[in-house]
Amino acid sequence: MLKLEMWQITHLFLLLAPSWASPGSVVSGTTVSSTQSITDGELSLLSAFTVPAAFPTSVFQNYYVTPGPTTDSQPQPVIIDPVSNVTFPFNLTNPDRTPTHGLDPILYPPALANLTYKDANTLVHDAINSIWAILETNTSDNCSKCTASLLVGQTVARFAPAWLPEVMISLCIGTVFQTAAVCEQTYQAATYGAPWTQVLTFANVSGLDGQYICAWLSPTFCPPPTVVPYKVQFPKPRPEKTKTPSRSGKRVKVLHLSDLHLDTRYKTGSEANCTTGMCCRISSAHFSNLNSTQAVINQPAPLFGSYKCDSPYYLALAALQSIQPLTGVSIENPPAFTLYSGDLVAHEIESASGREYVHSTEVSVWQMFKAYIGGPIYAALGNHDSVPTSLESPHSIDRNGPLGQQFSWHYDHISKLWEHYGWIDNPTQTQASLHYGGYSIGHPLGLRIITINTDFWYQANNFAFLHADNPDYSGIFSFLVEELQKAEDEGQRVWIMGHVPTGWQGQNALPGGSDAFYQIIERYSPHVIANVFFDQISIFYSNNGTLQTAYDALVAAWTGPSLTPLTNLNSGYRLYEVDTGTWEIFEAYTYYADVNTFTTLNGTGPVFQLEYSTREAYSPAADWPEGEPLNATFWHRVTEAMEKDKGLVSLFNTYQGKSSIRSPNCTSDACAAAKICYIRSGSTALGRACPQGFGSVQSPYTGVNF
């Protein structure tokens, strides 16, 4: 039986109060008046809200640098970790100081032999010569050369592991694989050098693991492997007759935030249009000539952010201040719950990141959220939420030894923060610590939310190449199946949340993990799984997506709008209107701020406004009934309408970038066909079969028009 704490009982009564009025109708593509408002109970909800210019200093107790009415400086709050009771030093985020990597542990696998310095040096010298000989031969194809080179590198990794990073740097520079600076940055021991040493030690480099590694290094080395047959094991077969709960007729609000990427080192006035590294940083300034120490700023970084920069404090808090007047949810009037689908930390270079930096960002973000949003916040980890970026090692890499636990510092800390803020209980915190930050929790209204660490199918996670023929080597799918089976047995509805999408254009998830997830979705949808939340929209169909019809559409994955403008995006978030019986989404409202206006703000903060209602934007063309949910069938009908009207695809493309002036147009037949295909692709295999080059609105399209 679900035990309700007092705060949950109070929250439950608030949620079941008389139904709320939704934001005012906005016709697709029209400008919203800043004076337009509607009523939500006793609150007046605006369709646009101008954020005050002044920084809300009460969010943090103390500051190293306090923003004031006469300064454009970004704040530097004193961040105290409530879990470790550590006060993070000013130098950690000082924007006037070029940051360096912290003193994080560097872990290598145990060497198979205790070589002397001379023997290790000889081994490395011979290995480099052998690899050069392999690369220069004309009798082998590139894939064979790559895997043979990996086999030589594996010998160094196993017998002289601490030497391998320098070997990789040497080969990277010698082959002009990257610039010398990038080679040093990427393969030094403190960034990816030591992790690559672990991967090469344990990988089956002459088999599928090696093919994945070589394909990731460059598709000119090996072609990306296709799906290897793998059958997910289920505790019980799918019931012959499934039953979905009845709709309650009561609706609640659910807030969805994602991809804040808080840049605590953002420097107002620095170069916002740099060509390398992090923009809006003191290190991003150009110099007029080699002998000059005077920076030449071509595009000064605005106070509230820019298109090539991550979110400064001013933007993060501007977005949070806009939530109450636009959506009606606040501390006093909380949503049923809030979703955060990953990526708290800035796109920091690895040499300037570190555990301390990640921890301080986590505390900063959750403290800001706690100041403006009531009720529980359920979060999934993103690929930028750890260090080195995108890496997560499976516990089984060394039978739960030091290497299998090397990222536990992250899971332990962030899950204890969630518990500290009252969003999860202690048993759930223990579960999240064990399952790589993923957990399963029941909401007082009956929904079960399951979050998973999707880095274990992310192609940029080098550890995901290990045991590539077993997508569940980490155990994340066993955990997900176990929790879904419990939900099915108990008649619960489930929302699944992660970060890295399994489909779209097929460029993010490894084929095996993507296929395994698709099998799980098909087994438990739609009677258990009501919705999925990733970083891209996708429709999942029965029969592994081989029949893509409205009848076969099972469940949809929603994307969370990013708060960061990086790259070329407007800042935004979303509010869902959800039935408490079926947990189907009946409306989705997306809000945004036009980053292009940030350079001309004068005496005010940015304007956040309602961009669109999903129902109003797409339902007329899809001929979708007013009383039906925005489910997978709805989204398939939308794609059918897109096939008849390219203008609807163009509208979708506009919303993909949150109406950014930087988004490329999607008006060609090729782009329209690609977008429709991406939306219908819930797996890597399906996505790769689509026309490529039209997936991201963050840069010009590279796809071929026809």
Side-chain angles (χ1 to χ4, degrees):
M1 173 179 283
L2 188 64
K3 180 181 178 181
L4 300 182
E5 303 293 340
M6 183 55 66
W7 73 268
Q8 294 175 311
I9 296 172
T10 304
H11 191 54
L12 188 60
F13 279 112
L14 284 171
L15 294 172
L16 295 179
S19 62
W20 51 284
S22 51
S25 297
V26 179
V27 179
S28 302
T30 61
T31 302
V32 181
S33 167
S34 62
T35 60
Q36 181 180 357
S37 65
I38 52 86
T39 300
D40 176 22
E42 298 179 358
L43 297 174
S44 179
L45 298 188
L46 303 176
S47 292
F49 175 72
T50 301
V51 179
F55 187 86
T57 54
S58 61
V59 173
F60 300 101
Q61 285 190 334
N62 296 293
Y63 291 82
Y64 294 117
V65 176
T66 304
T70 61
T71 177
D72 284 340
S73 296
Q74 291 291 327
Q76 285 294 316
V78 177
I79 303 300
I80 303 174
D81 192 327
V83 170
S84 64
N85 204 31
V86 167
T87 299
F88 297 106
F90 176 45
N91 277 346
L92 181 65
T93 56
N94 182 354
D96 294 319
R97 172 180 175 268
T98 302
T100 56
H101 198 288
L103 300 176
D104 293 343
I106 296 174
L107 299 178
Y108 291 107
L112 294 182
N114 187 20
L115 300 183
T116 64
Y117 178 90
K118 180 180 179 180
D119 289 341
N121 189 55
T122 300
L123 175 66
V124 167
H125 182 268
D126 292 345
I128 292 175
N129 288 338
S130 296
I131 291 174
W132 274 113
I134 292 169
L135 297 178
E136 292 171 354
T137 183
N138 294 321
T139 59
S140 300
D141 59 78
N142 285 347
C143 193
S144 298
K145 290 180 182 179
C146 181
T147 53
S149 298
L150 291 181
L151 197 59
V152 176
Q154 186 175 65
T155 301
V156 178
R158 289 178 171 176
F159 286 90
W163 291 67
L164 187 63
E166 288 301 322
V167 173
M168 291 187 287
I169 292 171
S170 173
L171 290 169
C172 179
I173 295 173
T175 59
V176 198
F177 185 65
Q178 296 282 359
T179 66
V182 171
C183 291
E184 290 276 358
Q185 162 67 29
T186 303
Y187 296 111
Q188 63 178 286
T191 57
Y192 293 97
W196 267 121
T197 303
Q198 298 175 39
V199 171
L200 284 182
T201 296
F202 297 106
N204 177 12
V205 295
S206 59
L208 187 61
D209 298 4
Q211 294 176 41
Y212 269 117
I213 293 170
C214 289
W216 183 82
L217 289 171
S218 174
T220 64
F221 293 168
C222 289
T226 56
V227 177
V228 174
Y230 176 83
K231 188 174 182 180
V232 177
Q233 299 299 310
F234 298 109
K236 298 178 183 179
R238 180 185 175 91
E240 292 185 9
K241 294 183 179 181
T242 59
K243 183 180 179 181
T244 300
S246 300
R247 292 168 191 158
S248 68
K250 297 183 177 66
R251 297 190 186 168
V252 292
K253 298 176 181 181
V254 174
L255 188 63
H256 189 179
L257 310 175
S258 189
D259 293 86
L260 174 59
H261 290 285
L262 179 68
D263 186 0
T264 57
R265 294 164 174 164
Y266 186 102
K267 176 72 173 176
T268 304
S270 63
E271 182 58 58
N273 191 32
C274 65
T275 55
T276 59
M278 289 280 289
C279 296
C280 300
R281 293 288 190 87
I282 192 171
S283 58
S284 67
H286 301 290
F287 292 88
S288 55
N289 59 65
L290 293 177
N291 297 319
S292 173
T293 58
Q294 182 65 42
V296 177
I297 305 297
N298 295 318
Q299 184 177 317
L303 186 65
F304 285 91
S306 188
Y307 279 125
K308 296 178 73 173
C309 310
D310 272 326
S311 304
Y313 272 113
Y314 266 93
L315 177 57
L317 281 158
L320 291 170
Q321 288 176 85
S322 75
I323 289 174
Q324 188 275 330
L326 292 177
T327 71
V329 303
S330 62
I331 294 292
E332 297 77 16
N333 188 34
F337 54 87
T338 297
L339 300 178
Y340 189 85
S341 49
D343 277 3
L344 301 166
V345 184
H347 292 82
E348 186 62 86
I349 59 173
E350 302 306 325
S351 60
S353 187
R355 297 184 182 185
E356 189 179 37
Y357 179 67
V358 170
H359 283 170
S360 70
T361 300
E362 291 170 348
V363 176
S364 297
V365 172
W366 297 138
Q367 188 168 333
M368 289 189 292
F369 282 14
K370 187 71 173 177
Y372 285 93
I373 305 169
I377 298 175
Y378 303 130
L381 299 184
N383 62 298
H384 281 90
D385 288 334
S386 189
V387 60
T389 300
S390 302
L391 296 191
E392 312 279 358
S393 65
H395 296 322
S396 49
I397 187 173
D398 61 349
R399 298 182 181 180
N400 215 26
L403 302 183
Q405 292 294 322
Q406 64 188 301
F407 292 97
S408 292
W409 62 270
H410 184 217
Y411 316 136
D412 292 347
H413 180 262
I414 199 164
S415 61
K416 287 177 181 176
L417 284 176
W418 296 334
E419 181 186 9
H420 170 78
Y421 289 120
W423 301 333
I424 63 175
D425 57 19
N426 182 258
T428 307
Q429 182 276 319
T430 302
Q431 185 184 58
S433 181
L434 174 64
H435 293 289
Y436 316 101
Y439 60 88
S440 175
I441 190 167
H443 187 273
L445 289 177
L447 178 71
R448 178 158 296 277
I449 297 98
I450 304 175
T451 75
I452 52 175
N453 189 330
T454 55
D455 281 351
F456 286 101
W457 65 55
Y458 188 32
Q459 65 165 351
N461 178 15
N462 308 145
F463 290 102
F465 302 142
L466 296 175
H467 292 262
D469 57 349
N470 176 16
D472 196 30
Y473 184 57
S474 66
I476 62 164
F477 293 123
S478 296
F479 164 68
L480 179 58
V481 168
E482 180 182 355
E483 294 302 319
L484 286 169
Q485 188 59 56
K486 290 178 184 177
E488 183 179 73
D489 292 343
E490 296 172 11
Q492 280 185 310
R493 295 285 271 168
V494 168
W495 282 11
I496 298 174
M497 180 171 57
H499 184 73
V500 178
T502 55
W504 192 243
Q505 61 181 339
Q507 301 300 312
N508 291 296
L510 294 174
S514 172
D515 179 65
F517 185 77
Y518 210 117
Q519 291 179 49
I520 294 169
I521 289 291
E522 188 167 352
R523 163 63 181 83
Y524 292 101
S525 298
H527 62 296
V528 176
I529 302 171
N531 286 290
V532 179
F533 301 87
F534 285 148
D535 255 18
Q536 277 297 353
I537 187 169
S538 293
I539 304 169
F540 294 90
Y541 300 87
S542 58
N543 300 303
N544 204 30
T546 55
L547 297 174
Q548 296 183 347
T549 68
Y551 176 79
D552 294 290
L554 295 174
V555 70
W558 291 77
T559 181
S562 66
L563 286 159
T564 184
L566 188 67
T567 304
N568 295 330
L569 300 170
N570 282 331
S571 178
Y573 55 87
R574 180 171 293 141
L575 184 80
Y576 301 110
E577 179 182 352
V578 185
D579 182 271
T580 59
T582 59
W583 292 96
E584 298 166 309
I585 293 172
F586 278 80
E587 185 54 283
Y589 301 103
T590 303
Y591 303 88
Y592 81 108
D594 185 356
V595 175
N596 194 52
T597 66
F598 289 4
T599 57
T600 59
L601 294 176
N602 185 16
T604 72
V607 176
F608 274 84
Q609 60 186 297
L610 175 65
E611 183 185 21
Y612 70 101
S613 146
T614 299
R615 183 176 291 278
E616 291 185 5
Y618 300 116
S619 287
D623 193 24
W624 194 249
E626 178 65 27
E628 292 302 309
L630 307 181
N631 56 17
T633 307
F634 162 79
W635 281 111
H636 183 83
R637 294 292 191 207
V638 171
T639 62
E640 290 179 333
M642 288 176 170
E643 290 174 324
K644 301 173 184 177
D645 180 7
K646 283 191 302 184
L648 199 62
V649 180
S650 181
L651 182 67
F652 175 87
N653 185 79
T654 297
Y655 292 155
Q656 194 179 344
K658 298 184 290 297
S659 297
S660 171
I661 195 174
R662 301 282 185 95
S663 295
N665 293 325
C666 183
T667 54
S668 68
D669 291 341
C671 184
K675 293 285 187 184
I676 294 167
C677 190
Y678 299 158
I679 295 171
R680 293 175 177 175
S681 297
S683 71
T684 295
L686 292 171
R688 286 181 179 175
C690 297
Q692 295 296 297
F694 298 100
S696 173
V697 296
Q698 296 177 263
S699 59
Y701 289 139
T702 60
V704 178
N705 290 313
F706 54 79

